[in-house]
Amino acid sequence: MKGVMCMLPDGTDSFGKTIMLIGLVLVVIGAVWHFGAKFINLGRLPGDIHIQKENFSFHFPIVTSIVLSIVLTIILNLFTRR
């Protein structure tokens, strides 16, 4: 079959760019997580709940969750607006 080209359906190029963007975002998050732990004390912010008794320990990072939610909301709004 000479001259037959394999054509992908429309929108595949956009899908590929989205996958690459997600990969890039994951790499950045991984780098911040790995190298930024010394500078940013996520999980130990003021307002996070930590209860420790003799044989029981409970940790609920509520302020960290709020901060991450705000940051992710801003980032996703920047990427999804057209």
Side-chain angles (χ1 to χ4, degrees):
M1 295 190 166
K2 232 177 184 182
V4 176
M5 291 178 45
C6 178
M7 296 186 67
L8 298 173
D10 291 336
T12 335
D13 186 44
S14 174
F15 182 70
K17 288 179 183 177
T18 303
I19 294 294
M20 289 191 316
L21 180 65
I22 290 171
L24 180 65
V25 169
L26 287 175
V27 167
V28 170
I29 289 172
V32 168
W33 192 288
H34 181 72
F35 298 112
K38 297 175 184 173
F39 306 110
I40 304 170
N41 285 332
L42 288 178
R44 296 185 185 122
L45 293 176
D48 288 344
I49 298 170
H50 185 75
I51 300 170
Q52 188 168 3
K53 302 238 178 175
E54 294 174 8
N55 59 354
F56 175 76
S57 178
F58 175 76
H59 183 76
F60 185 69
I62 189 153
V63 175
T64 300
S65 300
I66 292 170
V67 168
L68 286 176
S69 175
I70 291 169
V71 169
L72 288 174
T73 300
I74 291 170
I75 291 171
L76 290 174
N77 278 330
L78 290 174
F79 284 121
T80 58
R81 287 193 181 175
R82 295 177 189 226

